[in-house]
Amino acid sequence: MRVVLFEAEDWEKKACARLMRQHDVRCTTVPLNITTVGEFKDAEVISPFVASRLDAGIIHRLPELRLIATRSAGYDHIDLAVCREHGVAIANVPDYGDATVAEHAFALL
């Protein structure tokens, strides 16, 4: 399985290094966009963050894509209709930061 992690931070690169021992994992600091998509056209799983805008132009250029696992709570940067048409599953982090936001709100009060 070919996996690509986009917009990776240093701590995420360390996790990728461990995964690379058993899987074909690439880790990059760049977002996925029309300029960079050609380099990753064989990806089956991608893990973007919010700077990667996954519209029809990007998704059509990833013919092997089966899963988008966004590392964010929101998924408005992903064209859900196009993913549905192409059979691409989407996963997100639904509870990302809930406790932190609540704690910050009470701290501000």
Side-chain angles (χ1 to χ4, degrees), residues 5 10-23 25-27:
L5 184 85
D10 288 339
W11 66 272
E12 293 169 312
K13 290 179 187 177
K14 291 176 185 172
C16 281
R18 286 192 301 271
L19 289 171
M20 286 177 198
R21 295 179 200 146
Q22 298 175 348
H23 304 284
V25 178
R26 293 177 65 187
C27 194

Side-chain angles (χ1 to χ4, degrees), residues 8-78:
E9 296 185 15
D10 288 339
W11 66 272
E12 293 169 312
K13 290 179 187 177
K14 291 176 185 172
C16 281
R18 286 192 301 271
L19 289 171
M20 286 177 198
R21 295 179 200 146
Q22 298 175 348
H23 304 284
D24 182 5
V25 178
R26 293 177 65 187
C27 194
T28 180
T29 58
V30 301
L32 180 60
N33 58 43
I34 202 69
T35 306
T36 61
V37 70
E39 186 178 343
F40 307 103
K41 64 184 175 196
D42 63 342
E44 296 172 86
V45 176
I46 60 172
S47 182
F49 199 51
V50 295
S52 295
R53 300 287 170 205
L54 306 175
D55 59 16
I58 299 294
I59 294 167
H60 288 147
R61 287 175 172 81
L62 298 168
E64 304 299 320
L65 187 61
R66 299 293 169 254
L67 171 65
I68 299 170
T70 185
R71 299 182 325 276
S72 61
Y75 46 86
D76 58 335
H77 57 291
I78 302 169

Side-chain angles (χ1 to χ4, degrees), residues 73 80 109:
L80 301 180
L109 291 173

